[in-house]
Amino acid sequence: MVEWKGIVGTAYAADEFDSYAHALRWSGWRPAFIVLHNTAVPTLAQRPNGFTKQHILNLEGFYRDQQHWKAGPHLFIDDKQIWVFTPLTMSGVHSPSYNKTALGFEMLGDYDRDEFNSGRGLRVQRNAVAAVATMSAVLGLDPDTMKLHKEDPLTTHACPGKTVVKNKFVEKVKELLAERHGGEHLDLVSS
């Protein structure tokens, strides 16, 4: 059996996640980009209060005991918080072509059906934008390098769903980076 990497299992508000991520030390694995996913199941309706600690522990059992993977995605993001799952400083399992090179962020919802630009979906989107902006700043990543799971050539499903429009999402990440850092981060990335 493959050795399980463990989980962090802690939830943060977006500003708390930013502080948490900026305090991390990167000594071995260093991701080159971020891959954005959606859970599809559960949907927003199936988790009316977002993820709980028990949901996260259930996901750990699913990935470790049923899938027999060594890790899972790095983050689970809902409309209230950002859950750190697989430690961000270790490679995770989330996308066949990108596991060794990218962070994997799962957004709660089925964005083939759930609305992404209003209601709870918009709140999930805002937390996801904040998480991507934070990790772009921490790692010096260009937000344009972010990929959607469906861009993985070894993936056959349309994750994170048709209502997630990549260029609009990336623009929101860049706007937040400029707001937080006065644009200096974007200048460093593009040079």
Side-chain angles (χ1 to χ4, degrees):
M1 186 169 154
V2 178
E3 188 171 334
W4 178 247
K5 292 184 178 184
I7 67 168
V8 175
T10 304
Y12 297 96
D15 59 335
E16 295 169 334
F17 176 74
D18 189 69
S19 296
Y20 167 81
H22 275 87
L24 294 173
R25 297 291 167 246
W26 302 82
S27 60
W29 180 74
R30 191 171 182 91
F33 57 95
I34 295 164
V35 180
L36 196 61
H37 305 261
N38 73 311
T39 57
V41 175
T43 64
L44 288 170
Q46 291 170 322
R47 295 287 181 269
N49 298 309
F51 291 112
T52 65
K53 180 72 169 188
Q54 188 58 55
H55 293 139
I56 297 301
L57 294 174
N58 293 347
L59 286 164
E60 179 182 30
F62 172 73
Y63 290 115
R64 182 190 60 216
D65 304 331
Q66 294 177 37
Q67 296 295 99
H68 302 289
W69 292 354
K70 62 183 176 181
H74 294 90
L75 301 180
F76 282 91
I77 302 166
D78 64 29
D79 53 329
K80 295 173 177 38
Q81 59 220 341
I82 300 165
W83 284 90
V84 181
F85 193 74
T86 297
L88 292 161
T89 56
M90 298 179 166
S91 62
V93 177
H94 56 90
S95 188
S97 300
Y98 306 139
N99 289 332
K100 297 288 184 196
T101 55
L103 292 166
F105 295 178
E106 289 275 353
M107 300 182 295
L108 175 62
D110 177 356
Y111 296 108
D112 275 335
R113 294 184 195 87
D114 289 333
E115 181 54 50
F116 194 58
N117 293 303
S118 66
R120 290 184 66 209
L122 179 59
R123 292 191 299 273
V124 171
Q125 178 188 139
R126 287 179 182 147
N127 280 339
V129 165
V132 172
T134 289
M135 294 315 300
S136 295
V138 166
L139 294 166
L141 301 176
D142 181 344
D144 285 317
T145 64
M146 187 195 83
K147 297 187 184 305
L148 302 179
H149 187 199
K150 64 185 173 187
E151 294 178 89
D152 183 333
L154 297 178
T155 296
T156 58
H157 57 283
C159 174
K162 64 186 176 193
T163 62
V164 178
V165 179
K166 182 179 176 179
N167 65 335
K168 290 181 181 179
F169 187 92
V170 168
E171 274 309 308
K172 289 178 182 185
V173 171
K174 289 178 179 179
E175 289 168 9
L176 184 55
L177 279 168
E179 179 185 318
R180 286 180 176 173
H181 304 285
E184 83 247 15
H185 175 75
L186 297 177
D187 293 339
L188 290 173
V189 170
S190 60
S191 56

